[in-house]
Amino acid sequence: MSLLSFFGCLFLAYGPILSIFILFIAPTAQYVLLTVASAFFCLIALLLSSVIWYASRTNYYISILYSIIIQELCRYCFYLLQRRAEHGLNSISANPMFPFNKHIFSFVFGYGYALTSALVGYISLLVESIGPGVLMCVSCPQTTLYFISAITTSLFSLLHIGWMMISFEGYSELPKPRGYCKILWVILSHYGASFAVRYHD
């Protein structure tokens, strides 16, 4: 695989979230700190999933089942932490009385999840793409797996941001039925996207 293809896959996979960081996250120190906090919770979820997989050596489909449950539980725990700190977050924000602060915070939290999952999920495959061999995608033999995975990584990054925003809004609306519907939609779409990725591989 050529160096041009390597950088193409690199910017395809991380270009959108890198743009979000440069244009929106980086100018505000508070958003950077919230991103790091969210990334920490995502790392905890990934670590727990890895420990369970290493101990049980389950197949890919079973590991999807429990890893998404763990990720969503960590997302809920992070929401509870955010609720406790919401007053302080608003007081030190640029616009303390801005009614959409909670949506901005959930966007930033989702970005932390997106960045961590993208780095953990794709960086090793991207490094392997520098080698002399080329790994073709099984479901699309004309395209390399590196290119397909770069597209998948980019889309999953945006999905994680959306899932975080919708789930936080759903948790804040509990116990109303629409709150449960939003949470259920996040979980089901997370499962659907994850199984779809496994299918194309």
Side-chain angles (χ1 to χ4, degrees), residues 24 26 29 39 42 54 69 115 121-122 131 135 140 148 150 161 177:
F24 184 72
C42 184
Y54 186 79
I69 290 174
L115 179 63
Y122 184 63
L135 185 61
C140 187
I148 297 295
I161 295 174

Side-chain angles (χ1 to χ4, degrees), residues 44-121:
I44 290 176
L46 295 175
L47 176 63
L48 291 175
S49 300
S50 300
V51 168
I52 294 174
W53 177 85
Y54 186 79
S56 60
R57 296 302 175 114
T58 55
N59 62 38
Y60 191 88
Y61 298 101
I62 303 272
S63 65
I64 287 178
L65 291 176
Y66 61 72
S67 64
I68 290 178
I69 290 174
I70 293 172
Q71 286 185 44
E72 296 302 328
L73 286 175
C74 286
R75 199 191 306 270
Y76 178 66
C77 291
F78 193 66
Y79 168 77
L80 296 178
L81 180 64
Q82 183 263 342
R83 282 294 302 271
R84 293 180 62 89
E86 187 173 8
H87 178 72
L89 292 174
N90 284 326
S91 63
I92 63 175
S93 65
N95 301 299
M97 303 304 294
F98 189 55
F100 296 107
N101 271 343
K102 65 178 183 178
H103 300 296
I104 295 174
F105 293 150
S106 64
F107 176 86
V108 175
F109 297 147
Y111 178 82
Y113 249 68
L115 179 63
T116 305
S117 62
L119 289 175
V120 172

